[in-house]
Amino acid sequence: MSELEARSLLTTGLPPVVHSARALLADRLVRKLPTPRTRQDAAAPETPLAECAECRDPLPRGQQNGICAACAGAAAYVHEAAPVIETVADRVAALRSALRARPTTAAAGAT
């Protein structure tokens, strides 16, 4: 909608006396708005993805049942469990040790 169309819609049929411009404008905006369109999120899948019967990972689009390629052994991907770290302190210690073991760019340039 162009600015001219919006102005025309809002100013057509104004009462002869306006006591509250704010209330008049709010009322006209609500009454003259078109019905809202239903918009589907483009990123959302149209239908929910089916799950693998063994590992419960999502199946590729179009495959409605069965097992995934990893469970069938057709893919190089292997399900590996992530290492379980008991507490936050253990996780922080693991990250610090990984950072200490990694050479820094400043130290690499100095040698």
Side-chain angles (χ1 to χ4, degrees), residues 38-47 49 61:
T38 57
R39 216 172 85 188
Q40 184 176 5
D41 186 8
E46 293 187 17
T47 58
L49 296 175
R61 292 200 188 282

Side-chain angles (χ1 to χ4, degrees), residues 12-106:
T12 303
L14 285 173
V17 177
V18 176
H19 296 287
S20 172
R22 179 178 179 215
L24 174 72
L25 182 61
D27 176 62
R28 291 177 70 84
L29 282 172
V30 169
R31 280 190 301 116
K32 295 197 175 234
L33 278 178
T35 58
R37 295 184 217 164
T38 57
R39 216 172 85 188
Q40 184 176 5
D41 186 8
E46 293 187 17
T47 58
L49 296 175
E51 293 180 347
C52 173
E54 291 184 16
C55 69
R56 310 311 263 174
D57 279 351
L59 292 175
R61 292 200 188 282
Q63 184 178 348
Q64 295 302 318
N65 54 21
I67 59 174
C68 65
C71 290
Y77 176 76
V78 177
H79 297 284
E80 292 181 13
V84 177
I85 298 178
E86 298 289 328
T87 64
V88 173
D90 293 339
R91 177 71 175 149
V92 170
L95 289 172
R96 284 182 179 150
S97 65
L99 286 172
R100 287 186 188 120
R102 193 178 73 173
T104 61
T105 55

